[in-house]
Each structure stands twice: as C-alpha cells, then as structure tokens.
Coordinates of all heavy atoms in Angstrom, one line a residue:
M1 N 26.5 21.6 30.8 CA 26.0 22.1 29.6 C 26.2 21.3 28.4 O 25.4 20.9 27.5 CB 26.6 23.5 29.4 CG 26.0 24.3 28.2 SD 24.4 25.0 28.6 CE 24.1 25.8 27.1
K2 N 27.6 20.8 28.2 CA 28.0 20.0 27.1 C 27.2 18.6 27.2 O 26.7 18.2 26.1 CB 29.6 19.7 27.2 CG 30.2 19.4 25.9 CD 31.7 19.4 26.1 CE 32.3 19.2 24.8 NZ 33.8 19.0 24.9
N3 N 27.1 18.1 28.4 CA 26.4 16.9 28.6 C 24.8 16.9 28.2 O 24.3 16.2 27.6 CB 26.5 16.5 30.0 CG 27.4 15.3 30.2 OD1 27.8 14.8 29.2 ND2 27.7 15.0 31.4
T4 N 24.2 18.1 28.5 CA 22.8 18.2 28.2 C 22.8 18.3 26.6 O 21.8 17.7 26.0 CB 22.3 19.6 28.7 OG1 22.7 19.6 30.0 CG2 20.9 19.8 28.6
R5 N 23.6 19.0 25.9 CA 23.5 19.1 24.5 C 23.8 17.6 23.9 O 23.1 17.2 22.9 CB 24.6 19.9 24.0 CG 24.6 20.1 22.5 CD 25.5 21.3 22.0 NE 25.9 21.0 20.7 CZ 25.1 21.2 19.7 NH1 24.0 21.6 19.7 NH2 25.6 20.9 18.4
R6 N 24.8 16.9 24.5 CA 24.9 15.6 24.0 C 23.7 14.6 24.3 O 23.3 13.9 23.3 CB 26.2 15.0 24.7 CG 26.8 13.8 24.1 CD 28.1 13.4 24.6 NE 28.4 12.1 24.1 CZ 28.7 11.0 24.8 NH1 29.1 11.3 26.1 NH2 28.9 9.9 24.4
Q7 N 23.2 14.7 25.4 CA 22.0 13.9 25.7 C 20.8 14.3 24.7 O 20.2 13.4 24.2 CB 21.5 14.2 27.2 CG 22.3 13.3 28.1 CD 22.1 13.8 29.6 OE1 21.4 14.8 29.9 NE2 22.6 13.0 30.6
F8 N 20.7 15.6 24.4 CA 19.7 16.1 23.5 C 20.0 15.4 22.2 O 19.0 14.9 21.5 CB 19.7 17.7 23.3 CG 18.8 18.0 22.4 CD1 17.4 18.1 22.5 CD2 19.3 18.5 21.2 CE1 16.6 18.5 21.6 CE2 18.4 19.0 20.0 CZ 17.1 19.0 20.4
L9 N 21.1 15.3 21.8 CA 21.5 14.8 20.4 C 21.2 13.4 20.4 O 20.7 12.8 19.3 CB 23.0 15.1 20.1 CG 23.3 16.5 19.6 CD1 24.8 16.7 19.4 CD2 22.5 16.9 18.3
I10 N 21.6 12.7 21.4 CA 21.3 11.2 21.5 C 19.8 11.0 21.4 O 19.3 10.1 20.7 CB 21.9 10.6 22.8 CG1 23.5 10.6 22.6 CG2 21.4 9.2 23.0 CD1 24.3 10.3 23.9
M11 N 19.0 11.8 22.3 CA 17.6 11.5 22.3 C 17.0 11.9 21.0 O 16.1 11.1 20.5 CB 16.9 12.5 23.3 CG 17.4 12.3 24.8 SD 16.7 10.9 25.5 CE 15.2 11.6 26.0
S12 N 17.5 12.9 20.4 CA 17.0 13.3 19.0 C 17.2 12.2 18.0 O 16.4 11.8 17.1 CB 17.6 14.5 18.3 OG 17.3 15.6 19.3
A13 N 18.4 11.6 18.1 CA 18.8 10.4 17.0 C 17.9 9.3 17.3 O 17.4 8.6 16.4 CB 20.3 10.0 17.3
A14 N 17.7 9.0 18.7 CA 16.7 7.9 19.0 C 15.3 8.1 18.4 O 14.6 7.2 17.9 CB 16.8 7.6 20.5
G15 N 14.9 9.3 18.6 CA 13.6 9.7 18.2 C 13.4 9.4 16.8 O 12.5 9.0 16.1
A16 N 14.5 9.9 16.0 CA 14.5 9.8 14.4 C 14.5 8.4 14.0 O 13.8 8.0 13.1 CB 15.7 10.7 13.8
A17 N 15.3 7.6 14.7 CA 15.4 6.1 14.5 C 14.0 5.6 14.7 O 13.5 4.8 13.8 CB 16.4 5.5 15.3
T18 N 13.3 5.9 15.7 CA 11.9 5.2 16.0 C 11.0 5.7 14.9 O 10.2 4.9 14.4 CB 11.5 5.8 17.3 OG1 12.5 5.5 18.4 CG2 10.3 5.2 17.8
L19 N 11.0 7.1 14.4 CA 10.2 7.5 13.4 C 10.5 6.7 12.1 O 9.4 6.4 11.5 CB 10.4 9.0 13.1 CG 9.7 9.9 14.1 CD1 10.0 11.4 13.8 CD2 8.2 9.8 13.9
S20 N 11.8 6.5 11.8 CA 12.1 5.8 10.6 C 11.5 4.4 10.6 O 10.9 3.8 9.7 CB 13.5 5.6 10.3 OG 14.0 7.0 10.4
L21 N 11.5 3.8 11.8 CA 11.1 2.4 11.9 C 9.6 2.4 11.8 O 9.0 1.5 11.1 CB 11.5 1.8 13.3 CG 12.9 1.3 13.4 CD1 13.2 0.8 14.8 CD2 13.2 0.1 12.4
N22 N 9.0 3.2 12.3 CA 7.5 3.5 12.3 C 7.1 3.7 10.8 O 6.1 3.0 10.2 CB 6.9 4.6 13.0 CG 6.7 4.3 14.5 OD1 6.8 3.1 14.8 ND2 6.7 5.2 15.3
N23 N 7.8 4.4 10.0 CA 7.5 4.6 8.6 C 7.7 3.4 7.8 O 6.8 3.1 7.0 CB 8.4 5.7 8.0 CG 8.0 7.2 8.5 OD1 6.9 7.3 9.0 ND2 8.8 8.1 8.3
L24 N 8.7 2.8 8.2 CA 9.0 1.5 7.5 C 7.8 0.4 7.8 O 7.4 -0.2 6.8 CB 10.3 0.9 8.1 CG 11.0 -0.1 7.2 CD1 11.4 0.5 5.8 CD2 12.3 -0.7 7.9
A25 N 7.4 0.4 9.0 CA 6.3 -0.6 9.4 C 5.1 -0.2 8.6 O 4.3 -1.0 8.0 CB 6.1 -0.5 10.9
H26 N 4.9 1.1 8.4 CA 3.6 1.5 7.8 C 3.7 1.1 6.3 O 2.8 0.7 5.5 CB 3.4 3.1 7.9 CG 2.7 3.4 9.2 ND1 1.3 3.4 9.3 CD2 3.2 3.7 10.5 CE1 1.0 3.6 10.6 NE2 2.1 3.9 11.3
A27 N 4.9 1.4 5.7 CA 5.2 1.2 4.4 C 4.9 -0.2 4.0 O 4.5 -0.6 3.0 CB 6.5 1.6 3.9
Q28 N 5.2 -1.2 4.9 CA 5.2 -2.6 4.7 C 3.9 -3.2 4.9 O 3.6 -4.3 4.5 CB 6.2 -3.3 5.4 CG 7.6 -2.9 4.9 CD 8.7 -3.6 5.8 OE1 8.5 -3.9 7.0 NE2 9.9 -3.8 5.2
A29 N 2.9 -2.5 5.6 CA 1.6 -3.0 5.9 C 0.8 -3.2 4.6 O 0.7 -2.2 3.8 CB 0.9 -2.1 6.9
M30 N 0.3 -4.4 4.5 CA -0.4 -4.7 3.3 C -2.0 -4.4 3.5 O -2.5 -4.6 4.7 CB -0.4 -6.1 2.9 CG 1.0 -6.6 2.5 SD 1.5 -5.9 0.9 CE 0.6 -6.7 -0.2
V31 N -2.6 -4.0 2.5 CA -4.0 -3.9 2.5 C -4.7 -5.2 2.8 O -4.4 -6.1 2.1 CB -4.7 -3.2 1.2 CG1 -6.2 -3.1 1.2 CG2 -4.0 -1.7 1.1
A32 N -5.7 -5.2 3.7 CA -6.4 -6.5 3.9 C -7.8 -6.5 3.0 O -8.2 -5.3 3.0 CB -6.7 -6.7 5.3
E33 N -8.0 -7.5 2.4 CA -9.4 -7.5 1.7 C -10.6 -7.2 2.6 O -11.6 -6.6 2.1 CB -9.6 -8.8 1.0 CG -8.6 -9.1 0.0 CD -8.7 -10.6 -0.6 OE1 -9.6 -11.3 -0.1 OE2 -7.9 -10.8 -1.6
T34 N -10.5 -7.3 3.9 CA -11.4 -7.0 4.8 C -11.4 -5.6 5.3 O -12.3 -5.2 5.9 CB -11.3 -8.0 6.1 OG1 -10.0 -7.8 6.5 CG2 -11.6 -9.4 5.8
D35 N -10.5 -4.8 4.9 CA -10.5 -3.4 5.3 C -11.8 -2.7 4.7 O -12.1 -3.0 3.5 CB -9.3 -2.6 4.7 CG -8.0 -2.9 5.6 OD1 -8.1 -3.8 6.5 OD2 -6.9 -2.4 5.2
P36 N -12.4 -1.9 5.4 CA -13.5 -1.2 4.8 C -13.4 -0.6 3.5 O -14.2 -0.8 2.6 CB -14.0 -0.1 5.9 CG -13.3 -0.5 7.1 CD -12.1 -1.4 6.7
Q37 N -12.3 0.1 3.2 CA -12.0 0.8 2.0 C -11.8 -0.2 0.9 O -12.2 -0.2 -0.2 CB -10.6 1.7 2.1 CG -10.2 2.2 0.9 CD -10.8 3.6 0.3 OE1 -11.9 3.7 0.7 NE2 -10.0 4.1 -0.5
A38 N -11.1 -1.4 1.3 CA -11.0 -2.5 0.3 C -12.2 -3.1 -0.2 O -12.5 -3.3 -1.2 CB -9.9 -3.5 0.9
Q39 N -13.1 -3.3 0.8 CA -14.4 -3.9 0.5 C -15.2 -3.0 -0.2 O -15.9 -3.4 -1.2 CB -15.1 -4.3 1.9 CG -14.5 -5.4 2.6 CD -15.4 -5.9 3.7 OE1 -16.0 -5.1 4.5 NE2 -15.3 -7.3 4.0
A40 N -15.2 -1.7 -0.1 CA -15.9 -0.7 -0.8 C -15.5 -0.8 -2.3 O -16.4 -0.6 -3.1 CB -15.9 0.6 -0.2
L41 N -14.2 -1.0 -2.5 CA -13.7 -0.9 -3.8 C -13.5 -2.4 -4.5 O -13.1 -2.5 -5.6 CB -12.3 -0.3 -3.9 CG -12.3 1.1 -3.5 CD1 -10.8 1.7 -3.3 CD2 -12.9 1.9 -4.8
G42 N -13.9 -3.4 -3.8 CA -13.9 -4.9 -4.2 C -12.4 -5.2 -4.5 O -12.2 -6.1 -5.4
Y43 N -11.5 -4.8 -3.7 CA -10.1 -5.1 -3.7 C -9.9 -6.6 -3.3 O -10.5 -7.2 -2.4 CB -9.2 -4.2 -2.7 CG -7.8 -4.7 -2.6 CD1 -6.9 -4.4 -3.6 CD2 -7.4 -5.4 -1.6 CE1 -5.6 -4.8 -3.7 CE2 -6.1 -6.0 -1.6 CZ -5.2 -5.7 -2.6 OH -3.9 -6.0 -2.5
K44 N -9.1 -7.2 -4.3 CA -8.6 -8.6 -4.0 C -7.1 -8.6 -4.2 O -6.6 -8.0 -5.1 CB -9.2 -9.6 -5.0 CG -10.8 -9.7 -4.9 CD -11.0 -10.9 -3.8 CE -12.5 -11.0 -3.5 NZ -12.8 -11.4 -2.1
A45 N -6.4 -9.3 -3.3 CA -5.0 -9.4 -3.4 C -4.6 -10.2 -4.7 O -3.4 -10.2 -5.2 CB -4.4 -10.0 -2.3
D46 N -5.6 -11.0 -5.2 CA -5.3 -11.9 -6.4 C -6.4 -11.5 -7.4 O -7.6 -11.9 -7.1 CB -5.3 -13.4 -6.0 CG -5.1 -14.2 -7.1 OD1 -5.1 -13.9 -8.4 OD2 -4.9 -15.5 -6.9
T47 N -6.0 -10.9 -8.5 CA -7.0 -10.5 -9.5 C -7.9 -11.7 -10.1 O -9.0 -11.4 -10.5 CB -6.4 -9.7 -10.6 OG1 -7.2 -9.2 -11.5 CG2 -5.3 -10.6 -11.5
T48 N -7.3 -12.8 -10.1 CA -8.0 -13.9 -10.6 C -9.2 -14.4 -9.7 O -10.1 -15.2 -10.0 CB -7.1 -15.2 -11.0 OG1 -6.6 -15.7 -9.7 CG2 -6.0 -14.8 -11.8
K49 N -9.3 -13.9 -8.5 CA -10.2 -14.2 -7.5 C -11.4 -13.2 -7.5 O -12.4 -13.3 -6.6 CB -9.7 -14.3 -6.0 CG -8.6 -15.3 -5.9 CD -9.1 -16.6 -5.8 CE -8.1 -17.8 -5.4 NZ -6.9 -17.7 -5.9
V50 N -11.3 -12.3 -8.3 CA -12.4 -11.2 -8.4 C -13.7 -11.8 -8.8 O -13.8 -12.6 -9.8 CB -12.1 -10.0 -9.3 CG1 -13.1 -9.0 -9.5 CG2 -10.8 -9.3 -8.7
D51 N -14.8 -11.4 -8.2 CA -16.2 -11.8 -8.6 C -16.6 -11.2 -9.8 O -17.0 -10.0 -9.9 CB -17.1 -11.5 -7.5 CG -18.6 -12.0 -7.7 OD1 -18.9 -12.4 -8.8 OD2 -19.3 -11.9 -6.8
T52 N -16.6 -11.9 -11.0 CA -16.8 -11.2 -12.3 C -18.3 -11.0 -12.5 O -18.7 -10.2 -13.4 CB -16.2 -12.1 -13.4 OG1 -16.6 -13.4 -13.2 CG2 -14.8 -12.0 -13.6
K53 N -19.1 -11.6 -11.7 CA -20.6 -11.3 -11.9 C -20.8 -9.9 -11.2 O -21.6 -9.1 -11.8 CB -21.4 -12.3 -11.0 CG -21.6 -13.6 -11.8 CD -22.6 -14.6 -11.1 CE -22.7 -15.8 -11.9 NZ -22.4 -16.9 -11.0
K54 N -20.1 -9.6 -10.1 CA -20.3 -8.2 -9.4 C -19.5 -7.3 -10.3 O -19.8 -6.0 -10.3 CB -19.6 -8.4 -8.0 CG -20.2 -7.3 -7.1 CD -19.7 -7.6 -5.7 CE -20.1 -6.5 -4.9 NZ -19.5 -6.6 -3.5
Y55 N -18.3 -7.6 -10.9 CA -17.6 -6.7 -11.6 C -17.3 -7.3 -13.1 O -16.3 -7.7 -13.5 CB -16.2 -6.5 -10.9 CG -16.3 -6.0 -9.5 CD1 -16.2 -6.8 -8.5 CD2 -16.6 -4.6 -9.3 CE1 -16.3 -6.3 -7.2 CE2 -16.8 -4.2 -8.0 CZ -16.6 -5.0 -6.9 OH -16.8 -4.5 -5.7
P56 N -18.4 -7.1 -14.0 CA -18.4 -7.7 -15.3 C -17.2 -7.2 -16.1 O -16.9 -7.7 -17.1 CB -19.7 -7.3 -15.8 CG -20.4 -6.5 -15.0 CD -19.7 -6.5 -13.6
K57 N -16.8 -5.9 -15.9 CA -15.7 -5.3 -16.7 C -14.4 -5.8 -16.3 O -13.3 -5.5 -17.0 CB -15.8 -3.8 -16.7 CG -16.9 -3.3 -17.4 CD -16.9 -1.7 -17.4 CE -18.2 -1.1 -18.0 NZ -18.4 0.2 -17.6
H58 N -14.2 -6.6 -15.2 CA -12.9 -7.1 -14.8 C -12.4 -8.1 -15.6 O -13.2 -8.9 -16.3 CB -13.0 -7.7 -13.4 CG -11.8 -8.5 -13.0 ND1 -11.8 -9.8 -13.2 CD2 -10.7 -8.0 -12.5 CE1 -10.4 -10.2 -12.8 NE2 -9.9 -9.1 -12.3
A59 N -11.1 -8.0 -16.0 CA -10.3 -9.0 -16.8 C -9.1 -9.5 -15.9 O -8.5 -8.6 -15.3 CB -10.0 -8.6 -18.1
N60 N -8.7 -10.7 -16.0 CA -7.5 -11.2 -15.2 C -6.3 -10.4 -15.6 O -5.3 -10.6 -14.9 CB -7.4 -12.8 -15.4 CG -8.4 -13.5 -14.5 OD1 -9.1 -12.9 -13.6 ND2 -8.6 -14.8 -14.8
T61 N -6.2 -9.9 -16.8 CA -5.0 -9.1 -17.2 C -4.9 -7.8 -16.5 O -3.9 -7.2 -16.6 CB -5.1 -8.9 -18.7 OG1 -6.4 -8.2 -19.1 CG2 -4.9 -10.2 -19.6
Q62 N -6.1 -7.4 -15.9 CA -5.9 -6.1 -15.0 C -5.4 -6.4 -13.8 O -6.0 -7.2 -12.9 CB -7.5 -5.6 -15.0 CG -8.1 -5.2 -16.2 CD -9.6 -4.9 -16.1 OE1 -10.1 -4.9 -15.0 NE2 -10.2 -4.4 -17.2
R63 N -4.4 -5.8 -13.4 CA -3.7 -6.0 -12.2 C -3.1 -4.7 -11.6 O -3.0 -3.7 -12.3 CB -2.4 -6.9 -12.3 CG -2.6 -8.3 -12.9 CD -1.3 -8.9 -13.4 NE -0.1 -8.6 -12.6 CZ 0.5 -9.7 -11.8 NH1 0.1 -10.8 -11.9 NH2 1.6 -9.3 -11.1
C64 N -3.0 -4.5 -10.3 CA -2.4 -3.4 -9.6 C -1.2 -2.9 -10.3 O -0.9 -1.7 -10.6 CB -2.2 -3.6 -8.2 SG -3.8 -3.7 -7.2
D65 N -0.3 -3.9 -10.7 CA 1.0 -3.5 -11.3 C 0.9 -3.0 -12.7 O 2.0 -2.5 -13.3 CB 2.1 -4.4 -11.2 CG 1.8 -5.8 -11.8 OD1 0.7 -5.9 -12.5 OD2 2.8 -6.7 -11.7
N66 N -0.4 -3.0 -13.4 CA -0.5 -2.3 -14.6 C -1.6 -1.2 -14.5 O -2.2 -0.8 -15.6 CB -0.7 -3.2 -15.8 CG -1.9 -4.1 -15.7 OD1 -2.8 -3.8 -14.9 ND2 -1.8 -5.3 -16.4
C67 N -1.9 -0.8 -13.3 CA -2.9 0.3 -13.1 C -2.2 1.6 -13.0 O -1.0 1.7 -12.4 CB -3.5 -0.1 -11.7 SG -4.7 1.2 -11.1
A68 N -2.8 2.7 -13.4 CA -2.3 4.0 -13.4 C -2.0 4.5 -11.9 O -1.0 5.4 -11.8 CB -3.1 5.0 -14.0
L69 N -2.7 4.0 -10.9 CA -2.5 4.4 -9.6 C -1.4 3.8 -8.9 O -1.2 4.1 -7.7 CB -3.9 4.4 -8.9 CG -4.9 5.5 -9.1 CD1 -5.6 5.2 -10.6 CD2 -6.0 5.4 -8.2
Y70 N -0.8 2.8 -9.4 CA 0.0 2.0 -8.7 C 1.5 2.5 -8.6 O 1.9 3.1 -9.7 CB 0.1 0.6 -9.4 CG 1.2 -0.4 -8.7 CD1 0.7 -1.0 -7.5 CD2 2.2 -0.9 -9.2 CE1 1.4 -2.1 -6.9 CE2 3.0 -1.8 -8.6 CZ 2.6 -2.5 -7.5 OH 3.3 -3.4 -6.9
Q71 N 2.1 2.5 -7.4 CA 3.5 3.0 -7.3 C 4.4 1.9 -6.8 O 4.3 1.4 -5.7 CB 3.6 4.2 -6.2 CG 2.7 5.2 -6.5 CD 1.9 5.8 -5.3 OE1 2.1 5.5 -4.1 NE2 0.6 6.5 -5.7
P72 N 5.1 1.3 -7.8 CA 5.9 0.0 -7.5 C 6.9 0.3 -6.4 O 7.6 1.3 -6.3 CB 6.5 -0.3 -8.8 CG 6.3 0.8 -9.7 CD 5.3 1.7 -9.2
K73 N 7.1 -0.8 -5.5 CA 8.0 -0.8 -4.3 C 8.6 -2.1 -4.2 O 8.8 -2.6 -3.1 CB 7.2 -0.2 -3.1 CG 6.9 1.2 -3.1 CD 6.7 1.7 -1.7 CE 6.2 3.2 -1.7 NZ 4.8 3.5 -1.3
G74 N 8.9 -2.7 -5.4 CA 9.4 -4.0 -5.2 C 8.6 -5.0 -6.2 O 7.6 -4.4 -6.8
A75 N 8.8 -6.3 -6.3 CA 8.2 -7.1 -7.2 C 6.9 -7.5 -6.9 O 5.9 -7.7 -7.7 CB 9.1 -8.3 -7.5
A76 N 6.6 -7.6 -5.5 CA 5.2 -8.2 -5.1 C 4.3 -7.2 -4.7 O 3.0 -7.7 -4.6 CB 5.6 -9.3 -4.1
A77 N 4.7 -6.0 -4.3 CA 3.7 -5.0 -3.7 C 4.1 -3.6 -4.0 O 5.3 -3.4 -4.6 CB 3.6 -5.3 -2.3
G78 N 3.1 -2.7 -4.0 CA 3.4 -1.3 -4.1 C 2.4 -0.4 -3.5 O 1.5 -0.9 -3.0
G79 N 2.6 0.9 -3.6 CA 1.7 1.8 -3.0 C 0.4 2.1 -4.0 O 0.7 1.7 -5.2
C80 N -0.6 2.6 -3.5 CA -1.7 2.9 -4.2 C -2.3 4.3 -3.7 O -2.5 4.2 -2.5 CB -2.8 1.8 -4.3 SG -4.3 2.4 -5.0
S81 N -2.6 5.3 -4.4 CA -3.1 6.4 -3.8 C -4.5 6.4 -3.2 O -4.9 7.1 -2.4 CB -3.1 7.6 -4.9 OG -3.6 7.0 -6.1
L82 N -5.1 5.3 -3.5 CA -6.5 5.1 -2.8 C -6.2 4.3 -1.4 O -7.2 4.4 -0.6 CB -7.3 4.2 -3.6 CG -7.7 4.6 -5.1 CD1 -8.7 3.8 -5.7 CD2 -8.4 6.0 -4.8
F83 N -5.0 3.8 -1.2 CA -4.8 3.2 0.2 C -3.6 3.8 0.8 O -2.5 3.2 0.8 CB -4.6 1.7 -0.1 CG -5.9 1.0 -0.6 CD1 -6.0 0.6 -1.8 CD2 -6.9 0.7 0.3 CE1 -7.1 0.1 -2.3 CE2 -8.1 0.0 -0.2 CZ -8.2 -0.4 -1.5
A84 N -3.6 5.0 1.3 CA -2.5 5.7 1.8 C -1.9 5.0 3.0 O -2.7 4.5 3.8 CB -2.9 7.1 2.3
G85 N -0.5 4.9 3.0 CA 0.2 4.3 4.1 C 0.1 2.7 4.2 O 0.7 2.1 5.0
K86 N -0.5 2.1 3.1 CA -0.5 0.7 3.0 C 0.0 0.3 1.6 O 0.2 1.1 0.8 CB -1.8 0.1 3.3 CG -2.2 0.3 4.7 CD -3.4 -0.6 5.2 CE -3.6 -0.4 6.6 NZ -4.7 -1.2 7.1
Q87 N 0.2 -1.1 1.5 CA 0.6 -1.5 0.1 C -0.5 -2.5 -0.5 O -1.0 -3.2 0.3 CB 2.0 -2.3 0.2 CG 3.2 -1.3 0.5 CD 4.5 -1.7 0.2 OE1 4.8 -3.0 0.1 NE2 5.4 -0.9 0.0
V88 N -0.5 -2.4 -1.7 CA -1.4 -3.4 -2.4 C -0.6 -4.4 -3.1 O 0.7 -4.2 -3.4 CB -2.3 -2.7 -3.4 CG1 -3.3 -1.8 -2.6 CG2 -1.5 -1.9 -4.5
A89 N -1.1 -5.6 -3.4 CA -0.4 -6.6 -4.0 C -0.3 -6.3 -5.6 O -1.2 -5.8 -6.2 CB -1.1 -8.0 -3.8
A90 N 0.9 -6.7 -6.2 CA 1.2 -6.4 -7.5 C 0.1 -7.2 -8.4 O -0.3 -6.6 -9.4 CB 2.6 -6.9 -7.9
A91 N -0.3 -8.4 -7.8 CA -1.3 -9.1 -8.6 C -2.6 -8.8 -8.2 O -3.5 -9.6 -8.6 CB -0.9 -10.6 -8.4
G92 N -2.8 -7.8 -7.4 CA -4.2 -7.5 -7.0 C -5.0 -6.7 -8.0 O -4.6 -6.3 -9.0
W93 N -6.2 -6.3 -7.5 CA -7.1 -5.6 -8.3 C -8.2 -4.9 -7.5 O -8.6 -5.4 -6.4 CB -7.8 -6.5 -9.3 CG -8.8 -5.8 -10.3 CD1 -8.5 -5.3 -11.5 CD2 -10.2 -5.5 -10.1 NE1 -9.7 -4.8 -12.1 CE2 -10.7 -5.0 -11.3 CE3 -11.2 -5.9 -9.1 CZ2 -12.0 -4.6 -11.6 CZ3 -12.5 -5.5 -9.3 CH2 -12.9 -4.8 -10.5
C94 N -8.8 -3.7 -7.9 CA -9.9 -3.1 -7.3 C -10.7 -2.4 -8.4 O -10.2 -2.3 -9.6 CB -9.6 -2.2 -6.2 SG -9.3 -0.6 -6.7
S95 N -11.9 -2.1 -8.1 CA -12.9 -1.6 -9.2 C -12.4 -0.3 -9.6 O -13.0 0.3 -10.7 CB -14.3 -1.6 -8.6 OG -14.3 -0.7 -7.4
A96 N -11.5 0.3 -9.0 CA -10.9 1.7 -9.5 C -9.8 1.4 -10.5 O -9.2 2.5 -10.9 CB -10.5 2.6 -8.4
W97 N -9.5 0.2 -10.9 CA -8.4 0.0 -11.8 C -8.6 0.9 -13.1 O -9.6 1.0 -13.6 CB -8.4 -1.4 -12.3 CG -7.2 -1.9 -13.2 CD1 -6.1 -2.2 -12.8 CD2 -7.3 -1.8 -14.5 NE1 -5.2 -2.5 -14.0 CE2 -5.9 -2.2 -15.0 CE3 -8.2 -1.5 -15.6 CZ2 -5.6 -2.3 -16.3 CZ3 -7.9 -1.6 -16.8 CH2 -6.6 -2.0 -17.3
A98 N -7.5 1.4 -13.5 CA -7.3 2.2 -14.7 C -6.1 2.0 -15.4 O -5.0 1.9 -14.8 CB -7.4 3.8 -14.4
K99 N -6.1 1.7 -16.6 CA -5.0 1.2 -17.4 C -3.9 2.3 -17.4 O -4.1 3.4 -17.5 CB -5.3 1.0 -18.9 CG -4.3 0.4 -19.8 CD -4.8 0.1 -21.2 CE -3.9 -0.3 -22.1 NZ -3.0 -1.3 -21.8
K100 N -2.7 1.8 -17.1 CA -1.5 2.7 -17.0 C -1.2 3.1 -18.4 O -1.2 2.3 -19.4 CB -0.3 1.8 -16.5 CG 0.9 2.8 -16.0 CD 2.1 2.0 -15.6 CE 1.9 1.3 -14.2 NZ 3.2 0.6 -13.8
A101 N -1.0 4.5 -18.5 CA -0.8 4.9 -19.9 C 0.6 4.5 -20.5 O 1.5 4.2 -19.8 CB -0.7 6.6 -19.7
Ligands
SF4_201 FE1 -4.7 -1.8 -7.4 FE2 -5.3 0.3 -9.1 FE3 -7.1 -0.5 -7.4 FE4 -5.0 0.7 -6.5 S1 -6.5 1.6 -7.8 S2 -5.8 -1.1 -5.6 S3 -3.3 0.0 -7.8 S4 -6.3 -1.7 -9.1

C-alpha cells in the first residue's frame, strides 16, 4: 500500500516535470514567417524587411516590442495574443501592429 502511494507520487512528479518541459518548449517556439497565420498578417521577424509597397502604413519604428499586443518575455522575444503558444521577435512586425499606449 505504502509502495503504491510512493510509486503514484513518483509517477505524478515525473508527469508534472514532463508537462513543465512541454510548456517551456512551447513558450520558446518562435513564430516562423512561413506559418499560415504569420503570412496572413504579413509578419516579419525583422521590421526593416517589411514590404512597404504591400504595407504602406508600415514604419521601421513599429516593432513588436512597442506594440500593444506584445507580452515581453526577455530582450529578444515575447508573446503575442495573435500567436498563441509561440513567441514573436522583439524587432518583428505584422499588419496588426497597434501602438502601445
Ligand atoms: Fe508583433 Fe504586434 Fe503583430 Fe503581435 S500584433 S506580431 S506583437 S506587431
């Protein structure tokens, strides 16, 4: 009985550790410019590479890290509510950019 409980606790701890690692891996995955959602929004990891003919309102001063939807998670990347479970580049941009208040 005692052994079973102990085994259960060990298994639970192992499961929790695996889940944490999975979450970490998801948190660190970067959005690729080739992702369908990224393509639909004209996302670029480098704002200076944005096609200004296609997006005439774009300016190089517009970056993910000064966008209202950006959730900083370090100097180089952060979360964005449009790309759940992935990270966008701090220096990135997409057509949904909105000035941070
Ligand atoms: Fe970057 Fe803002 Fe577009 Fe998200 S909505 S990808 S933070 S510019």
